[in-house]
Amino acid sequence: MFKIVSKEYFSSGVAKFVVEAPMIARSRRPGHFVIVINQERGERIPLTIADADVESGTITLVVQAIGDSTRAICAMEPGDAFADVVGPLGRATDIRRGGTVVCCGGGVGVAPLLPIIKAMKSTGNKVISVLAARTKDLIILEKQVREHSDEVIIMTDDGSYGDQGLVTDGVEKVLVREHVDEVVTIGPAVMMKYVSLLTKKYDVPTVASLNTIMVDGTGMCGACRVTVGGKTRFVCVDGPEFDAHLVDFDEMIMRLRSYNN
């Protein structure tokens, strides 16, 4: 059992959990994820590890209540426990000193982006973070992102905070004013698609962390398959991060929609 140590709401539908998982905390790296089950025979939910504390033996998970299972998880309280947490899974982010890195996240995508921002900064890169959401209340982890970024740009659809516009508007502001060595993007598939199209225009290498449907997390079920560079890849074992300019986002978005009710 994996006990919940603390819980905090970012908004009415987004909760942060600190969970006891000492072995995972010791071995996780930026970009890794886990699959959680809140109760026996529950649905398997993939969640990127937003943070870890080796000394306390805990990992941090951010959950958005969308379906029945995620709503049930968000209803859990400190003292409750997950029936199972499996991980770390996937391939860790390739962190290297490359100069100037733009890290852009949309909505809850900022949670998995945070450990990458931290690692990029600690390696000596200049880190410019672009956070985007529909409205001010949906911007999460801003304080933590600012602690590890040289600059933070906030974009909201309604202009209630930061600048009004999309994440691509914030990224392009940086691309037109200075040289950027790499862009990392995490968020809704449509958002990552348009970030990729933008950075391709500016010929800037870009990494996208994909959020496909997963079931077993071992590459056996094939639910998370995507086409990258004309070849089939499995997000759970080959990713979750890929060269964004090679990802067939249209196919990915179409497959995600097939699971809609």
Side-chain angles (χ1 to χ4, degrees):
M1 303 292 280
F2 298 81
K3 184 179 177 181
I4 296 172
V5 177
S6 67
K7 174 186 179 182
E8 174 188 348
Y9 277 107
F10 289 128
S11 65
S12 59
V14 180
K16 181 183 80 172
F17 294 91
V18 176
V19 181
E20 289 183 350
M23 293 182 66
I24 297 174
R26 287 197 298 269
S27 56
R28 101 356 143 176
R29 297 290 181 272
H32 280 152
F33 67 95
V34 294
I35 288 182
V36 307
I37 302 175
N38 68 315
Q39 59 184 342
E40 190 176 352
R41 298 182 180 273
E43 183 181 1
R44 298 163 62 88
I45 305 294
L47 298 169
T48 307
I49 304 169
D51 202 357
D53 188 321
V54 176
E55 291 187 5
S56 65
T58 60
I59 60 174
T60 299
L61 306 173
V62 175
V63 185
Q64 183 175 22
I66 298 176
D68 291 343
S69 296
T70 48
R71 281 194 289 268
I73 290 174
C74 285
M76 297 172 74
E77 298 293 342
D80 293 340
F82 289 96
D84 207 356
V85 178
V86 179
L89 300 173
R91 295 178 178 270
T93 306
D94 182 14
I95 303 293
R96 48 188 159 179
R97 186 166 184 168
T100 299
V101 181
V102 173
C103 296
C104 59
V108 294
V110 176
L113 190 66
L114 179 58
I116 297 172
I117 291 170
K118 289 182 177 180
M120 287 290 188
K121 184 59 182 174
S122 66
T123 311
N125 294 289
K126 176 182 178 182
V127 177
I128 302 171
S129 299
V130 182
L131 311 184
R134 293 193 307 274
T135 187
K136 179 181 179 179
D137 293 342
L138 299 178
I139 296 290
I140 67 171
L141 297 168
E142 180 187 351
K143 179 182 176 182
Q144 293 89 332
V145 169
R146 288 191 182 279
E147 290 174 356
H148 301 278
S149 304
D150 294 275
E151 179 185 356
V152 176
I153 297 171
I154 306 288
M155 305 297 301
T156 52
D157 292 359
D158 62 2
S160 57
Y161 189 47
D163 296 326
Q164 185 170 12
L166 304 175
V167 67
T168 46
D169 297 319
V171 174
E172 190 161 27
K173 287 180 182 179
V174 182
L175 296 179
V176 298
R177 80 181 189 208
E178 63 184 280
H179 174 77
V180 172
D181 296 281
E182 184 179 18
V183 171
V184 179
T185 180
I186 307 180
V190 171
M191 184 206 90
M192 293 189 289
K193 171 186 174 178
Y194 283 100
V195 169
S196 175
L197 291 173
L198 173 67
T199 57
K200 189 172 184 178
K201 182 177 72 172
Y202 285 91
D203 195 27
V204 178
T206 302
V207 173
S209 181
L210 305 186
N211 54 355
T212 52
I213 299 296
M214 291 187 192
V215 179
D216 69 335
T218 65
M220 295 296 291
C221 72
C224 67
R225 67 186 182 274
V226 291
T227 300
V228 182
K231 298 180 180 179
T232 298
R233 293 288 183 260
F234 299 98
V235 173
C236 64
V237 292
D238 299 318
E241 297 173 3
F242 297 93
D243 181 337
H245 297 159
L246 299 180
V247 174
D248 186 338
F249 281 105
D250 290 333
E251 177 193 64
M252 176 182 162
I253 292 167
M254 179 181 68
R255 295 197 71 245
L256 284 171
R257 287 174 178 166
S258 70
Y259 291 92
N260 292 344
N261 292 328

